[in-house]
Structures are given as C-alpha cells and as structure tokens.
Amino acid sequence: MLKIYHGSCHCGAVRFEADIDLAAGTGKCNCSICTKRRAWGALLKPDQFRLLSGADNLSDYQFGTKSGHHRFCKTCGVASFGDGHVEAIGGDYVSVNVNCLDDVSDQELAETPVKFGNGRDNAWWEPPAVTSYL
Ligand SMILES: [Zn+2]
C-alpha cells in the first residue's frame, strides 16, 4: 500500500516526501557506490517523489555510464535520494534512501522485503553469493 513518507538529510537542508509501498520491497546492492554508501533504497517513479527543500544545497556525483545522479547534501554529505534513467528498470527513476525516512517505524523497516542485487558483477537482477554484510 502506498503511503506518504517524509525524509531528509542529516542537517535538514534537503527535505522530501515520497509515496512508497514498503511491502513491495526495497533493495540493497554490492556495486561500488552502494557498498561504500551502505545504500538501502526504495525504487520509485519520479511522480512518487517531491523535493520540498534543499535543491540548491545538493551536489551531484556521476560515474561510469552516468545514468544515475548520486545526489548528496553539500552541508552534511548525506545522500538521501538519487535519480536517473535506466531502461532495464523502466526508464526514469528516483531511489530514496530508506535510512533517511523520518517518519517510518522500526516495524515497517523490519518488515519490508529486501531484494539483493549483484551490481558488482553487473547482475542487479540476481543476488550476490553473500548478502549478510550488505
Ligand atoms: Zn544536509
């Protein structure tokens, strides 16, 4: 069920709201940037995401194919969301960092299914051999 959640970076400059169905699942991945950021994402369509403040306080980091904007707050460095375009996942997307939701309950986080992706080997659709550390 879609529910409106509010999220922010650590210092609060970047704030957003998003329509997320946590029961539909979230994702963790072992690719180079997800590993270093310990990213835990909910994949959304752009119309499910509304940036409420902080657009001018965001930095954008891109690498590789530059299909994703790995945005982060210029003040506190926290990456609360990113966006981009990848045909394999349906085109335009926004990935919200579940760890940055301010009004999600521990119970909701405990119950959301986590799909693991083997991004390190460019196989996002299948889990890596080891997932316990992600
Ligand atoms: Zn911040």
Side-chain angles (χ1 to χ4, degrees), residues 7-16 57 73 76 78-80 100 102:
S8 61
C9 63
H10 191 263
C11 73
V14 177
R15 295 188 180 280
F16 63 85
N57 216 56
C73 174
C76 66
V78 167
S80 52
C100 288
D102 296 312

Side-chain angles (χ1 to χ4, degrees), residues 65-130:
T65 60
K66 300 196 173 172
S67 47
H69 296 275
H70 304 274
R71 303 186 192 280
F72 60 96
C73 174
K74 289 178 185 174
T75 304
C76 66
V78 167
S80 52
F81 73 96
D83 58 277
H85 184 95
V86 175
E87 285 300 332
I89 59 170
D92 292 340
Y93 71 89
V94 174
S95 180
V96 164
N97 184 352
V98 172
N99 296 313
C100 288
L101 298 179
D102 296 312
D103 50 6
V104 68
S105 71
D106 292 347
Q107 191 69 23
E108 287 172 299
L109 290 178
E111 289 175 357
T112 183
V114 179
K115 298 170 197 159
F116 293 95
N118 186 8
R120 186 163 60 198
D121 297 315
N122 292 318
W124 279 269
W125 56 91
E126 59 186 38
V130 181

